[in-house]
Amino acid sequence: MLLICKNSAILISVMELNYKGKTAFVSGAGRGIGKAVALELAKAGCTVLCISKNISSCGKVADEINASGGRAEAWAFDVSKPAEVKDACSHILEKYSAVDIIVNNAGITRDNLLMRMSDEEWDDVISTNLSSCFYVVRNLIRAMVGNRHGRIINIASVSGQAGNTGQANYSAAKAGIIGFTKTLAREFAARNITANVVAPGFIDTDMTAVLPASIIEAAKANIPLKRTGKPDDIAKVCAFLASDEAGYITGQTIAVNGGLYM
Ligand code: NAP
């Protein structure tokens, strides 16, 4: 990263993060936060495997990266389906001997008050947001262990830290991600693999765009920084955690939420 001083035109090298030759798996890379993470890692020099449910979205992101001189591939599959994840990961590992960076970002919401929440709303959110992390890591970790190096970043949410009315399913999944990640951190530390959580607050994406304007305004009023976040705010933190320089950070939950939950 270069810092340009306005008045002296001196270039100061602040930090050169190292991602040389790294391959990154980013789920939910078709839109929103995952797209920003994919673009950021590609900019840093990673080959990015852009995963989403529909090829149209991850395909566009991979095309954008390749068109700008980076390296990316689009892979469309449903991360909530163990057989699809197994199949896709075995194809990925045939092509790349190992994945160096995993960003488990794919997620959905199916909000409802607990007394009205259906089994389907509960199961869809748990399988897409939480079980998916287990399926992905289970299939990619052996090769990562063989490499004696790896970075796992799981995207949770402020809802998993603080709870949120209407989100019993989502909060449970996101809190589960935090426990899952701490266990990964302990199990794989000896293999030089770190595992951390990034917990976003309110970020401007398709997921939050569906909320009524009154809810968005009320949310902003509650945020100490008085604004919502951008996908890039999350991507920058993920990129740092994915770098070699973040090698002494593991088992942590980094909140990126404008102060919403401290
Ligand atoms: P988004 O704009 O709705 O994008 C979600 C992405 O996940 C899409 O690319 C989608 O694929 C993919 N996806 C969903 N279900 C999938 C499945 N079963 N298999 C494969 N891919 C799937 O979401 P976002 O707002 O960027 O959120 C990204 C992550 O951050 C989520 O885990 C979310 O819970 C978390 N988060 C978001 C906020 C926020 O305020 N936005 C706050 C806290 C946490 P398609 O493009 O093919 O549909």
Side-chain angles (χ1 to χ4, degrees):
M1 193 187 293
L2 289 178
L3 187 73
I4 304 173
C5 291
K6 238 176 159 184
N7 51 0
S8 60
I10 297 172
L11 296 177
I12 303 167
S13 175
V14 179
M15 224 176 354
E16 276 300 336
L17 302 180
N18 191 8
Y19 308 84
K20 253 177 242 139
K22 300 281 197 293
T23 302
F25 172 110
V26 182
S27 73
R31 294 180 276 130
I33 293 170
K35 176 179 176 182
V37 172
L39 295 176
E40 190 69 25
L41 291 176
K43 210 164 63 182
C46 294
T47 298
V48 184
L49 311 177
C50 301
I51 286 88
S52 66
K53 201 164 176 181
N54 304 290
I55 191 66
S56 54
S57 63
C58 60
K60 271 191 209 132
V61 174
D63 286 349
E64 186 177 332
I65 291 171
N66 290 320
S68 61
R71 281 182 307 275
E73 263 183 26
W75 294 73
F77 56 93
D78 186 338
V79 293
S80 71
K81 301 277 182 334
E84 286 193 32
V85 176
K86 187 176 179 199
D87 189 50
C89 288
S90 77
H91 283 103
I92 285 170
L93 291 176
E94 269 167 29
K95 191 157 181 192
Y96 303 89
S97 56
V99 164
D100 305 283
I101 298 159
I102 298 172
V103 184
N104 282 312
N105 162 80
I108 56 166
T109 50
R110 297 280 182 270
D111 296 353
N112 216 339
L113 290 172
L114 182 106
M115 287 204 290
R116 294 186 196 146
M117 189 171 284
S118 66
D119 289 356
E120 198 183 8
E121 286 165 340
W122 176 268
D123 290 341
D124 282 355
V125 167
I126 297 294
S127 61
T128 304
N129 295 41
L130 175 60
S131 305
S132 62
C133 299
F134 165 59
Y135 304 145
V136 168
V137 172
R138 178 173 62 176
N139 282 286
L140 296 177
I141 196 74
R142 203 175 287 276
M144 206 177 241
V145 164
N147 256 0
R148 294 289 189 275
H149 178 276
R151 298 277 181 267
I152 300 170
I153 299 152
N154 297 322
I155 306 299
S157 166
V158 64
S159 300
Q161 298 176 295
N164 196 19
T165 302
Q167 291 197 312
N169 49 3
Y170 186 78
S171 304
K174 295 304 192 181
I177 284 179
I178 295 173
F180 173 69
T181 307
K182 288 183 181 185
T183 297
L184 294 180
R186 290 186 188 279
E187 285 194 19
F188 298 104
R191 309 305 169 105
N192 195 30
I193 295 168
T194 64
N196 291 290
V197 171
V198 175
F202 197 117
I203 308 299
D204 298 331
T205 68
D206 292 352
M207 186 179 271
T208 47
V210 295
L211 296 169
S214 59
I215 301 262
I216 297 178
E217 284 316 308
K220 276 188 198 165
N222 247 340
I223 299 168
L225 285 176
K226 298 292 173 220
R227 61 178 176 84
T228 51
K230 302 286 174 209
D232 263 355
D233 294 322
I234 309 302
K236 301 278 182 209
V237 176
C238 291
F240 176 65
L241 290 172
S243 72
D244 283 353
E245 285 71 12
Y248 201 54
I249 304 172
T250 197
Q252 303 305 307
T253 298
I254 315 292
V256 185
N257 62 23
L260 182 58
Y261 179 77
M262 303 185 195

